[in-house]
């Protein structure tokens, strides 16, 4: 069963900020982190965000990365955000193509929906893992940093 779309994808504004997001867990659940790379319209990196999340699932980490990207873009006054994620589940849930049945993910989904609604233009797109290497690197850096203590 599908849900109503959360937003209508529109043509992006000329100054669209992009975010490549990733989340990962070593074990599922296990040590988890997210990584986010925010770029301006010319591809210049504006921010690299990452955070260790403790013991969580991979999907929890993916949603945490999305929330971090949405929060960063909103806090910095951007009105247009295009998100790229290698999590097909997350992308299809945000687009309303998959139902969110997990009680753990439901509040994260609701928060993402609310934050996405603040943008004049918002879109999310699935990309292959190879196209998301920078965000993946940040996930692994956060996990390795925590492991070293």
């Amino acid at each position: 069963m599908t849900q109503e779309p959360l937003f209508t994808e529109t043509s992006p504004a000329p100054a669209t900020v992009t975010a490549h997001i990733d989340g990962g867990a070593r074990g599922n659940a296990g040590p988890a982190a997210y990584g986010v790379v925010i770029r301006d319209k010319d591809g210049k990196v504006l921010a690299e965000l990452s955070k260790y999340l403790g013991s969580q699932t991979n999907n929890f980490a993916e949603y945490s990365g999305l929330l971090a990207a949405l929060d960063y873009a909103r806090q910095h006054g951007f009105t247009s955000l295009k998100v790229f994620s290698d999590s097909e589940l997350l992308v299809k849930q945000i687009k309303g193509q998959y139902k969110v049945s997990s009680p753990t993910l439901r509040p994260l989904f609701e928060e993402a929906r609310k934050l996405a609604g603040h943008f004049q233009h918002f879109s999310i797109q699935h990309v292959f893992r190879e196209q998301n290497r920078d965000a993946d690197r940040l996930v692994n850096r956060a996990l390795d940093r925590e492991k070293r203590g």
Side-chain angles (χ1 to χ4, degrees):
M1 182 171 134
T2 62
Q3 296 179 350
E4 288 296 310
L6 303 180
F7 55 89
T8 303
E9 289 200 29
T10 57
S11 298
T16 298
V17 175
T18 63
H20 279 78
I21 66 169
D22 197 14
R26 293 182 178 161
N28 205 18
Y34 69 74
V36 177
V37 179
I38 308 277
R39 290 186 173 90
D40 69 12
K41 64 179 177 161
D42 299 319
K44 179 184 171 209
V45 174
L46 299 176
E48 290 187 336
L49 314 170
S50 64
K51 183 177 180 182
Y52 178 74
L53 301 168
S55 183
Q56 294 292 344
T57 66
N58 183 64
N59 290 329
F60 183 95
E62 297 280 2
Y63 264 98
S64 297
L66 174 59
L67 290 171
L70 288 162
D71 187 55
Y72 178 91
R74 185 165 179 230
Q75 293 280 335
H76 288 82
F78 297 110
T79 59
S80 181
L81 177 63
K82 185 165 189 163
V83 175
F84 298 95
S85 171
D86 60 19
S87 171
E88 186 176 1
L89 176 77
L90 177 137
V91 170
K92 288 193 173 189
Q93 285 180 338
I94 294 296
K95 287 185 169 190
Q97 296 169 336
Y98 285 176
K99 185 176 181 178
V100 181
S101 55
S102 165
T104 304
L105 296 182
R106 174 53 82 174
L108 303 175
F109 167 81
E110 293 293 340
E111 182 67 14
R113 177 181 182 172
K114 182 176 133 191
L115 287 171
H118 290 287
F119 293 92
Q120 290 177 8
H121 303 276
F122 174 81
S123 67
I124 188 164
Q125 179 180 331
H126 178 257
V127 295
F128 292 109
R129 184 164 291 159
E130 301 79 46
Q131 297 169 285
N132 218 26
R133 283 191 185 130
D134 291 339
D136 180 66
R137 172 182 49 81
L138 293 172
V139 170
N140 285 303
R141 183 187 301 164
L143 289 170
D144 292 344
R145 189 172 48 237
E146 184 62 28
K147 186 177 178 181
R148 283 192 304 267

